[in-house]
């Protein structure tokens, strides 16, 4: 595995909780980090801009205190997501605040983050960039990022269309650094599968929406519990970029989820609603295809402990050559 120094010995599971618009806030991030997985949030979730510093102060203080009180327990670092796009007029301000607090991990999205990389490296942080294809991966590496997040088919939000088997394999031909894999993962067995494919970390979002600490309305969480993969639609209407959304939330907004027009990429502005009167993430709820395994809304600590048990059990079965893992009849 390619594990950056900032993460070594600080994880209970090789998982990075993905930053989710509106849903990810200090409560979710702190709970994830205390449970031993990386918690993250989009800088744009902190509104107005001055709130970002309040969040960073709270997160750093609470995690530092928790580490001091639990010296033998892995407590993960946290990450902040920055949208590198002309519609994000807060980028310079938000990066200045992140540099001030020396945010351990910055997750960048959309364009190659040259200026962000320089700022983060100035204090020893790392930059992970999310991509949906090889071309974007190479551009990000040219910009000097430390690792890649491969957003594959079935992931929540602005997902790509490539199979993880294809994208991980092709990226590994030219990059041996840290890779996080995103796409339809909801349990510990799937985390191990991501590593078996060549990734270092699972990048998980949707499963953590259905937790007690997530900043999502109860109806959203219950819709995840009630839905399956066939309840997901892939559309560009809501932000100008293709993403995966829950069909019932689209129907609730008065639209036909099976007959949506294409969005206009030139109007892309995250959180503004794109080409639709209904706003993405507020009214139209994002989700990955792995929701068929979501059956409850537990606290984060309970969910991560369950995933750890599933991960360890799957790993033990593989190492033992369990007949159950390979479809062989028991002797």
């Amino acid at each position: 595995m390619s594990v950056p120094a900032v993460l070594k010995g600080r994880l209970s599971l090789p998982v990075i909780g993905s930053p989710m618009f509106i849903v990810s806030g200090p409560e979710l991030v702190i709970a994830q980090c205390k449970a031993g997985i990386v918690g993250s949030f989009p800088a744009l979730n902190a509104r107005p801009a001055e709130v970002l510093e309040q969040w960073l102060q709270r997160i750093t203080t609470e995690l530092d205190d928790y580490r001091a009180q639990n010296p033998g327990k892995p407590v993960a670092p946290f990450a902040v997501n920055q949208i590198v796009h002309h519609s994000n007029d807060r980028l310079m301000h938000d990066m200045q605040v992140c540099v001030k607090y020396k945010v351990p991990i910055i997750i960048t999205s959309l364009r190659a983050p040259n200026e962000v990389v320089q700022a983060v490296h100035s204090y020893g942080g790392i930059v992970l960039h999310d991509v949906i294809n090889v071309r974007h991966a190479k551009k990000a590496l040219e910009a000097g990022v430390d690792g890649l997040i491969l957003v594959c088919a079935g992931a929540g939000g602005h997902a790509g269309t490539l199979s993880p088997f294809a994208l991980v394999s092709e990226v590994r031909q030219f990059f041996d650094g840290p890779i996080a894999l995103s796409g339809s993962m909801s349990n510990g067995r799937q985390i191990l599968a991501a590593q078996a494919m060549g990734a270092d970390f699972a990048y998980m979002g949707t499963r953590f929406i259905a937790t007690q600490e997530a900043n999502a309305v109860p109806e959203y969480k219950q819709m995840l519990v009630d839905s399956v993969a066939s309840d997901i639609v892939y559309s560009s209407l809501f932000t100008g970029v293709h993403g995966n959304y829950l069909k019932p939330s689209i129907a609730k907004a008065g639209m036909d989820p099976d007959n949506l027009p294409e969005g206009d990429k030139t109007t892309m502005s995250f959180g503004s609603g794109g080409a639709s009167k209904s706003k993405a993430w507020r009214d139209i709820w994002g989700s990955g295809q792995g929701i068929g395994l979501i059956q409850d809304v537990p606290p984060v600590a309970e969910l991560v402990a369950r995933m750890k048990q599933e991960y360890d059990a799957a790993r033990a079965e593989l190492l033992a050559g369990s007949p159950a893992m390979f479809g062989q009849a028991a002797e």
Side-chain angles (χ1 to χ4, degrees):
M1 288 180 63
S2 303
V3 180
V6 69
L7 292 172
K8 286 184 177 178
R10 300 179 66 181
L11 299 179
S12 62
L13 269 177
V15 172
I16 298 173
S18 62
M20 296 173 286
F21 193 61
I22 300 178
V23 172
S24 300
E27 292 79 12
L28 180 58
V29 170
I30 291 168
Q32 289 174 320
C33 292
K34 287 181 177 180
I37 67 170
V38 175
S40 69
F41 70 93
L44 293 175
N45 276 8
R47 301 186 183 210
E50 293 73 23
V51 173
L52 178 60
E53 181 158 9
Q54 298 172 20
W55 283 17
L56 292 180
Q57 185 174 40
R58 176 185 171 186
I59 291 169
T60 54
T61 299
E62 288 196 29
L63 291 181
D64 285 346
D65 290 346
Y66 189 76
R67 287 190 189 96
Q69 296 166 11
N70 299 272
K73 186 173 182 179
V75 181
F78 70 98
V80 174
N81 174 224
Q82 299 285 7
I83 303 296
V84 185
H85 186 261
H86 63 79
S87 70
N88 182 11
D89 57 6
R90 280 181 43 176
L91 181 60
M92 183 174 294
H93 166 273
D94 291 350
M95 277 307 305
Q96 288 174 345
V97 178
C98 286
V99 170
K100 176 181 177 180
Y101 282 84
K102 298 182 179 180
V103 174
I105 304 168
I106 296 292
I107 296 171
T108 50
S109 304
L110 294 185
R111 295 180 177 170
N114 303 68
E115 64 274 21
V116 173
V117 170
Q118 295 176 7
V120 177
H121 285 176
S122 71
Y123 62 82
I126 65 171
V127 177
L128 306 178
H129 189 70
D130 66 34
V131 302
I132 61 172
N133 57 43
V134 167
R135 181 172 66 88
H136 292 164
K138 289 182 176 179
K139 282 189 175 183
L141 293 174
E142 289 172 0
V145 303
D146 302 283
L148 297 170
I149 299 165
L150 308 186
V151 186
C152 296
H158 296 116
T161 58
L162 291 176
S163 161
F165 288 97
L167 190 53
V168 173
S169 298
E170 290 192 20
V171 170
R172 276 296 183 215
Q173 292 180 36
F174 58 85
F175 180 60
D176 62 0
I179 286 179
L181 177 62
S182 174
S184 305
M185 287 174 282
S186 297
N187 65 21
R189 187 175 293 271
Q190 293 165 338
I191 296 167
L192 185 64
Q195 291 185 305
M197 276 192 281
D200 301 293
F201 308 98
Y203 193 69
M204 304 176 71
T206 302
R207 185 59 189 92
F208 287 97
I209 302 174
T211 59
Q212 293 184 14
E213 293 87 350
N215 184 36
V217 296
E219 293 80 6
Y220 187 178
K221 297 179 183 182
Q222 188 60 45
M223 193 176 289
L224 292 172
V225 173
D226 295 339
S227 299
V228 293
S230 59
D231 293 312
I232 305 298
V233 64
Y234 190 61
S235 174
S236 63
L237 174 63
F238 306 106
T239 65
V241 178
H242 275 91
N244 282 317
Y245 304 94
L246 284 163
K247 286 184 179 181
S249 71
I250 298 172
K252 183 181 178 183
M255 293 174 282
D256 181 355
D258 296 318
N259 291 283
L260 296 174
E262 288 295 309
D264 182 359
K265 191 174 183 179
T266 63
T267 65
M268 180 169 57
S269 181
F270 298 97
S272 70
S276 168
K277 291 182 181 179
S278 296
K279 290 188 176 182
W281 323 131
R282 186 197 70 184
D283 306 304
I284 309 301
W285 295 331
S287 173
Q289 293 177 356
I291 53 176
L293 293 176
I294 299 177
Q295 299 176 343
D296 59 358
V297 185
V300 165
E302 179 182 321
L303 176 60
V304 173
R306 183 193 309 168
M307 288 180 173
K308 180 71 163 60
Q309 291 177 342
E310 294 164 345
Y311 177 90
D312 289 342
R315 188 170 183 272
E317 288 175 2
L318 281 173
L319 291 174
S322 167
M325 293 293 295
F326 297 101
Q328 300 169 354
E331 295 181 359

